[in-house]
């Protein structure tokens, strides 16, 4: 009987030993896996969780740029794809900058949807940093408005906006009746978020005819206003951690003429680049 008891105690100790070993291996695997990072697709799938069977695309429900005028934002489903994926060597290490674009493709019930003139396209931006053999998110914003007719703007370009930060830039254009214009759209990382900045680049107001709502102060003029801006980055100056933008304006607004007029556009934390109040194209509608 004594021999049997000793053997049982040995067996129990042996089983406990292997149980502890298995538990240690499981914890080690879990920790290692957690710090191994993710692939780009794994990260994007978390931000764009919908797979639409009708359009056979991955996407997201997001505001289409319109509302009921009382605070309720209208939404559509956007089919997304990667537009740019660029590595940058910064002082803090390698960073992967990604721009994602989306076109309106489906409704909330999954049925097919189509973009209209008043609907915006979608753009998302991600900044990833290395984590193990993969990546983890440093800054992200999966859904911002840019583009007309429900189509995302293609061909985003990467520009340096601070000594250790880069952003994406593109041009949005549109027109309504006698008003047409375009704007620089800048996406910049701001801590864990991404800010979208809107800087008007061109505005044209054609004469809608004497006495009409779109008429010029000079009824004989064919064009009431024609303003064009060029954008530069002042890399010699840092304000609020970012390089300011330099806008050089040319053109005319009624009888007022602008020739190489320079405006400095500063970055404001949590807001993005803000045009000054005296910028002639501030808040123009087109």
């Amino acid at each position: 009987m004594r021999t049997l008891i000793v053997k049982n105690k040995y067996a129990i100790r042996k089983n406990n030993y292997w149980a502890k070993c298995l538990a240690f291996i499981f914890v080690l695997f879990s920790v290692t896996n957690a710090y191994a990072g993710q692939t780009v697709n794994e990260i994007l799938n978390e931000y764009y969780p919908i797979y639409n069977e009708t359009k056979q695309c991955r996407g997201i429900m997001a505001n289409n740029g319109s509302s009921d005028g009382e605070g309720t934002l209208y939404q559509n489903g956007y089919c997304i794809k990667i537009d740019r994926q660029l590595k940058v060597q910064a002082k803090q290490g390698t960073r992967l900058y990604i721009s994602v674009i989306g076109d309106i493709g489906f409704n909330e019930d999954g049925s097919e949807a189509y973009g209209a003139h008043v609907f915006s396209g979608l753009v998302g931006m991600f900044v990833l940093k290395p984590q193990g053999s993969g990546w983890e998110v440093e800054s992200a914003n999966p859904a911002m408005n840019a583009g007309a007719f429900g189509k995302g703007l293609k061909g985003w370009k990467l520009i340096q906006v601070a000594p250790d930060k880069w952003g994406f830039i593109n041009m949005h254009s549109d027109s309504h009746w006698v008003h047409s214009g375009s704007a620089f759209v800048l996406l910049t990382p701001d801590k864990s978020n991404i800010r979208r900045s809107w800087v008007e680049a061109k505005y044209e107001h054609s004469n809608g005819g004497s006495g009409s709502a779109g008429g010029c102060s000079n009824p004989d003029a064919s064009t009431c206003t024609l303003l064009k801006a060029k954008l530069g980055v002042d890399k010699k100056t840092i304000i609020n951690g970012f390089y300011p933008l330099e806008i050089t304006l040319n053109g005319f607004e009624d009888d007022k003429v602008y020739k190489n007029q320079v405006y400095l556009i500063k970055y404001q934390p949590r807001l993005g680049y803000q045009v000054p109040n005296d910028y002639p194209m501030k808040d123009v509608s087109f």
Side-chain angles (χ1 to χ4, degrees), residues 115-161:
H117 189 180
V118 296
F119 295 159
S120 296
L122 178 142
V123 61
M125 177 176 165
F126 299 82
V127 182
L128 308 184
K129 61 182 181 181
Q131 179 61 64
S133 59
W135 301 96
E136 69 175 354
V137 175
E138 183 173 78
S139 306
N141 190 333
M144 296 168 279
N145 293 134
F149 292 93
K151 300 287 186 181
L153 296 175
K154 300 177 181 179
W156 290 83
K157 295 181 179 179
L158 197 67
I159 63 169
Q160 191 172 7
V161 293

Side-chain angles (χ1 to χ4, degrees), residues 34-284:
Y35 285 90
Q38 296 175 289
T39 66
V40 170
N41 283 339
E42 286 172 341
I43 290 172
L44 294 183
N45 286 349
E46 291 181 358
Y47 283 88
Y48 303 102
I50 299 172
Y51 184 80
N52 183 265
E53 294 290 348
T54 302
K55 299 290 289 187
Q56 295 190 359
C57 71
R58 183 160 290 278
I60 187 174
M61 293 296 300
N63 172 237
N64 60 24
S66 64
S67 70
D68 65 357
E70 297 181 357
T72 300
L73 303 178
Y74 295 135
Q75 291 196 330
N76 273 109
Y78 286 84
C79 292
I80 64 98
K81 64 179 179 181
I82 294 176
D83 177 70
R84 288 287 186 272
Q85 190 171 235
L86 301 166
K87 281 185 182 179
V88 169
Q89 277 300 131
K91 67 178 183 180
Q92 67 271 36
T94 302
R95 293 295 183 267
L96 182 61
Y97 284 76
I98 301 173
S99 63
V100 173
I101 58 175
D103 298 346
I104 288 179
F106 55 92
N107 296 305
E108 193 169 5
D109 63 1
S111 61
E112 190 169 10
Y114 302 92
H117 189 180
V118 296
F119 295 159
S120 296
L122 178 142
V123 61
M125 177 176 165
F126 299 82
V127 182
L128 308 184
K129 61 182 181 181
Q131 179 61 64
S133 59
W135 301 96
E136 69 175 354
V137 175
E138 183 173 78
S139 306
N141 190 333
M144 296 168 279
N145 293 134
F149 292 93
K151 300 287 186 181
L153 296 175
K154 300 177 181 179
W156 290 83
K157 295 181 179 179
L158 197 67
I159 63 169
Q160 191 172 7
V161 293
D164 58 348
K165 292 185 180 72
W166 281 255
F168 283 108
I169 187 170
N170 212 328
M171 186 76 76
H172 169 95
S173 301
D174 205 355
S175 62
H176 293 89
W177 191 35
V178 295
H179 304 278
S180 63
S182 58
F184 300 108
V185 185
L186 291 96
L187 311 178
T188 50
D190 190 340
K191 296 183 179 178
S192 63
N193 207 339
I194 302 292
R195 306 296 176 188
R196 188 201 70 166
S197 304
W198 192 276
V199 180
E200 290 79 2
K202 180 182 177 181
Y203 176 63
E204 183 172 1
H205 175 194
S206 302
N207 195 344
S210 180
S212 73
C216 300
S217 57
N218 178 3
D220 297 325
S222 60
T223 303
C224 315
T225 302
L226 180 58
L227 299 170
K228 296 180 180 181
K230 290 184 178 181
L231 182 145
V233 180
D234 179 6
K235 294 186 178 181
K236 297 178 181 179
T237 307
I238 299 175
I239 301 174
N240 294 326
F242 286 80
Y243 298 136
L245 305 177
E246 280 187 350
I247 293 291
T248 304
L249 184 68
N250 285 281
F252 63 90
E253 185 176 16
D254 291 326
D255 296 330
K256 188 169 184 178
V257 176
Y258 299 89
K259 187 172 182 180
N260 295 325
Q261 182 74 42
V262 177
Y263 296 87
L264 195 68
I265 300 179
K266 303 174 185 178
Y267 190 90
Q268 299 295 333
R270 299 182 298 278
L271 295 175
Y273 284 102
Q274 302 291 298
V275 297
N277 290 329
D278 63 344
Y279 185 54
M281 285 192 284
K282 179 180 172 65
D283 299 328
V284 295

